[in-house]
Amino acid sequence: MRVLIINTSEKTGGAAIAARRLMEALKKSGIKAKMLVRDKQTDDVTVVPLRKSWRNIWNFVWERVVIWRANHFHKQHLFAMDIANTGTDITSLPEFQQADVIHLHWVNQGMLSLNNLRQILDAGKPVVWTLHDMWPVTGICHHAETCDRFATHCHHCPLLVHGHRHDLSYRIFEKKRRLYTRGRLSFIACSHWLEEQARRSALTQGHPVASIPNPIDTRLFHPIDRQQVRKELGLPADKCLLLFSSMKITDKRKGIDYLVEACQLLQQTQPDFSRRLEVVVMGHESEEYSRLFPFPVHCLDYRSQEKDIARVYNAVDLYVTPSLMENLPNTLMEAMACGVPCVGFHIGGIPEMIDHLHNGYVAQYKSAADLANGIYWSLNDGNYPSLSEAARRKVTNCYGEETIARAYIHLYNQITDEHE
């Protein structure tokens, strides 16, 4: 069986990482999988880039211009929505023609237009679409947050300055509705939370919706000697280290302000415990927040190599993710695979990954006080060795490459049989 995985980027962003890991997992299970991307970042021959052209840049810019104009020339939420008005026809590529299954992932920002998606569906091949956010099942947004209009028909979009009955969200939703009736799509969410959201959408009615999590290589992400890694990274050997990581630390959606506040509360309420704590911040622009923490901060540049990322996880005692919007974060999976307990808010797929008081702590959403409770409990009251073992066991049992590849192969076989 030949599977073509399609994603805008090869390595940039959580969806790209998940899509590439799936390709590797499928190949190890005997599937002939390739990945088609706009932005290629390695020399892997199974990753095929679109032909470089000025049109790729123009596609991205033109979509932003149309959104900017439709939003009355306001820059607000400019990158929180996509309309897929530009893209590239891939149906003539040999990789597409040879594939038995077309597997879409994150295809925004000029990779595929709605018209290109129509061409893919009209080609008659089975199509799987893995959802890494809500865009495929809403009008224009990637995260609907408290808005539920996608359940019936998008309109009066909260992201638009002057949303109205037939605004941009309404028009794109209508285009998607007509498009999805042209073929049989199988929607796969990475978390049960996103599966529930997808089932609610009027766009998925008549199409199968299921949940299959992202895979991870547990042989690459695994526990190693903590003290040795700390020595190599120049981190203190005798402190409890909290890790916060994000590609861009200053992204408010990642919630670092809540971690800062939680640390301040710990300093006030648990002074003895706090003297043991220090913070590791990994990501671009990490220096900007270093002075706000009441504890010593160690700033690390963002790591792109997975073996280097795994070493950072192995150097810390606890991974804290106060993210305000999440599906099934790769970072949580990576940390847990390395035997690091995690603390995160009750949002998206996080409660599916962290089993509360078993392999970590799930804090009340947007509660810095409960985030502080989670940090204290995990490092002081919880049985840390047991938490660590349970974190590793959860990942190997639920997210291992062989398990996820088997689930997707079953799906591929099912939908190809239906198309015969």
Side-chain angles (χ1 to χ4, degrees):
M1 179 183 292
R2 296 177 183 270
V3 176
L4 181 62
I5 293 172
I6 303 172
N7 197 78
T8 300
S9 173
E10 178 187 2
K11 294 187 69 176
T12 302
I17 293 169
R20 183 178 170 83
R21 286 177 179 172
L22 176 60
M23 178 185 70
E24 297 298 334
L26 291 172
K27 289 194 295 184
K28 290 176 183 177
S29 295
I31 298 296
K32 295 179 180 178
K34 287 187 176 182
M35 189 172 175
L36 178 67
V37 300
R38 184 193 65 193
D39 306 324
K40 180 173 178 175
Q41 288 118 343
T42 72
D43 57 1
D44 188 337
V45 295
T46 58
V47 179
V48 181
L50 295 178
R51 187 164 57 92
K52 288 188 178 297
S53 168
W54 63 268
R55 286 195 60 182
N56 293 338
I57 299 174
W58 174 248
N59 286 346
F60 172 79
V61 173
W62 180 241
E63 183 177 28
R64 296 307 117 190
V65 169
V66 173
I67 293 172
W68 180 53
R69 184 179 61 187
N71 208 16
H72 298 273
F73 305 102
H74 287 267
K75 293 182 180 179
Q76 186 179 11
H77 305 307
L78 185 59
F79 290 93
M81 54 184 120
D82 279 291
I83 58 175
N85 62 329
T86 61
T88 302
D89 179 9
I90 65 169
T91 56
S92 62
L93 298 177
E95 290 80 13
F96 181 91
Q97 295 179 350
Q98 294 165 5
D100 300 301
V101 175
I102 305 302
H103 194 155
L104 306 175
H105 284 258
W106 201 88
V107 294
N108 296 113
Q109 296 191 352
M111 176 69 183
L112 296 179
S113 68
L114 294 179
N115 185 53
N116 299 144
L117 291 172
R118 177 189 58 78
Q119 293 166 329
I120 290 171
L121 290 173
D122 287 351
K125 294 178 181 285
V127 178
V128 176
W129 199 341
T130 290
L131 313 182
H132 295 279
D133 57 36
M134 294 182 66
W135 186 83
V137 300
T138 68
I140 59 177
C141 71
H142 290 276
H143 298 281
E145 298 188 48
T146 59
C147 176
D148 62 358
R149 294 186 180 96
F150 67 92
T152 52
H153 201 301
C154 286
H155 60 90
H156 290 91
C157 180
L159 297 183
L160 299 173
V161 175
H162 300 296
H164 54 84
R165 184 68 187 86
H166 293 94
D167 61 15
L168 188 63
S169 70
Y170 176 92
R171 298 194 298 272
I172 299 302
F173 191 97
E174 188 62 20
K175 288 181 179 180
K176 288 182 179 179
R177 187 188 63 78
R178 293 195 301 267
L179 169 66
Y180 293 176
T181 61
R182 300 183 72 95
R184 185 173 173 83
L185 277 163
S186 296
F187 292 99
I188 302 298
C190 298
S191 66
H192 293 299
W193 167 80
L194 188 53
E195 178 190 6
E196 291 175 6
Q197 300 303 308
R199 288 186 183 278
R200 292 177 60 206
S201 174
L203 293 175
T204 63
Q205 304 311 304
H207 299 285
V209 179
S211 175
I212 301 176
N214 300 325
I216 189 170
D217 185 349
T218 55
R219 291 168 296 183
L220 176 61
F221 288 91
H222 65 93
I224 58 177
D225 184 76
R226 179 168 294 165
Q227 291 303 321
Q228 180 61 34
V229 178
R230 288 190 178 189
K231 182 178 179 181
E232 293 171 359
L233 294 176
L235 297 173
D238 59 344
K239 296 292 183 178
C240 286
L241 298 182
L242 312 179
L243 173 64
F244 174 89
S245 71
S246 175
M247 184 175 294
K248 186 178 180 182
I249 298 299
T250 54
D251 185 346
K252 293 295 184 180
R253 295 172 300 178
K254 297 303 179 181
I256 193 172
D257 292 328
Y258 288 92
L259 177 57
V260 171
E261 184 180 351
C263 290
Q264 292 170 344
L265 290 172
L266 284 170
Q267 185 186 49
Q268 296 166 13
T269 60
Q270 304 290 344
D272 292 337
F273 171 72
S274 296
R275 280 190 280 271
R276 297 163 45 203
L277 293 181
E278 296 191 5
V279 180
V280 178
V281 179
M282 180 173 66
H284 299 311
E285 305 176 4
S286 58
E287 295 286 349
E288 292 192 24
Y289 271 83
S290 60
R291 297 178 183 178
L292 300 180
F293 284 95
F295 312 136
V297 175
H298 307 273
C299 296
L300 302 178
D301 291 333
Y302 181 77
R303 265 69 170 165
S304 59
Q305 297 298 319
E306 291 187 327
K307 63 179 181 180
D308 296 329
I309 295 173
R311 293 172 69 78
V312 174
Y313 287 123
N314 272 286
V316 304
D317 298 279
L318 193 68
Y319 180 68
V320 186
T321 176
S323 184
L324 307 180
M325 296 180 186
E326 281 297 353
N327 178 18
L328 195 81
N330 292 319
T331 53
L332 264 184
M333 194 180 297
E334 293 162 356
M336 293 172 68
C338 294
V340 178
C342 299
V343 177
F345 283 140
H346 194 290
I347 187 69
I350 288 177
E352 300 170 30
M353 305 179 76
I354 302 176
D355 299 317
H356 188 53
L357 304 183
H358 181 65
N359 57 31
Y361 190 100
V362 180
Q364 298 171 24
Y365 186 54
K366 289 188 176 181
S367 172
D370 203 27
L371 198 68
N373 289 338
I375 294 170
Y376 182 83
W377 180 86
S378 299
L379 295 175
N380 198 67
D381 290 344
N383 183 332
Y384 188 86
S386 176
L387 292 177
S388 177
E389 291 175 8
R392 168 73 179 176
R393 186 165 56 249
K394 174 67 176 281
V395 174
T396 56
N397 290 345
C398 299
Y399 310 125
E401 287 183 313
E402 185 177 347
T403 299
I404 305 307
R406 190 185 309 120
Y408 268 115
I409 292 170
H410 176 75
L411 171 66
Y412 297 152
N413 288 329
Q414 185 179 42
I415 61 177
T416 51
D417 287 345
E418 292 173 356
H419 274 74
E420 290 180 354

